[in-house]
Amino acid sequence: MYGRHPPLTDVTLVPHPLGLKVTGEIDYANRHVLAGALDQALQTGKQDLRLDLSGLTFIDVAGMRVIVAGAGRLPQGRRLILAPVSPQARRLLTLTGWRHASGLHMP
């Protein structure tokens, strides 16, 4: 895709409850932004980590794979809580079957 700039995304650390707020678009071209922030947050503390996906306007399978892989790396008893979740992210999690992935919780 010549001339296309990577979609804009913003990942912000939220200190209480510990987590990240993700806004904009996450896709193959910029998934590294989310991956880096998620890796750092997963290493912080021993409590559950909240991922606010309400501001996502788009996420593809590559972006969702980053989230599911992060949840899978959590130690037993710790969860990656997706709340609130954009309709697009909820639909992708349901279609892929990742809604019930290990370490992932979506109320």
Side-chain angles (χ1 to χ4, degrees), residues 19-87:
L20 299 170
K21 179 168 179 60
V22 184
T23 57
E25 300 181 4
I26 301 289
D27 68 6
Y28 182 83
N30 69 357
R31 71 192 186 286
H32 65 280
V33 174
L34 176 59
L38 188 55
D39 283 344
Q40 272 190 315
L42 290 172
Q43 295 174 22
T44 304
K46 296 188 185 290
Q47 69 271 32
D48 291 341
L49 182 67
R50 182 171 296 275
L51 195 56
D52 179 345
L53 302 178
S54 63
L56 275 181
T57 55
F58 177 81
I59 186 165
D60 69 1
V61 172
M64 192 58 71
R65 191 174 290 135
V66 168
I67 294 170
V68 172
R73 290 194 310 271
L74 285 169
Q76 184 72 17
R78 198 168 170 213
R79 303 174 302 169
L80 181 58
I81 301 170
L82 305 183
V85 181
S86 71

Side-chain angles (χ1 to χ4, degrees), residues 16 23 47-48 63 78-79 88 90-91 105-106:
H16 186 70
T23 57
Q47 69 271 32
D48 291 341
R78 198 168 170 213
R79 303 174 302 169
Q88 294 84 358
R90 185 176 298 278
R91 183 167 190 266
H105 178 71
M106 189 170 55

Side-chain angles (χ1 to χ4, degrees), residues 88-106:
Q88 294 84 358
R90 185 176 298 278
R91 183 167 190 266
L92 184 56
L93 282 163
T94 300
L95 288 173
T96 57
W98 288 338
R99 182 182 178 118
H100 304 288
S102 176
L104 199 60
H105 178 71
M106 189 170 55

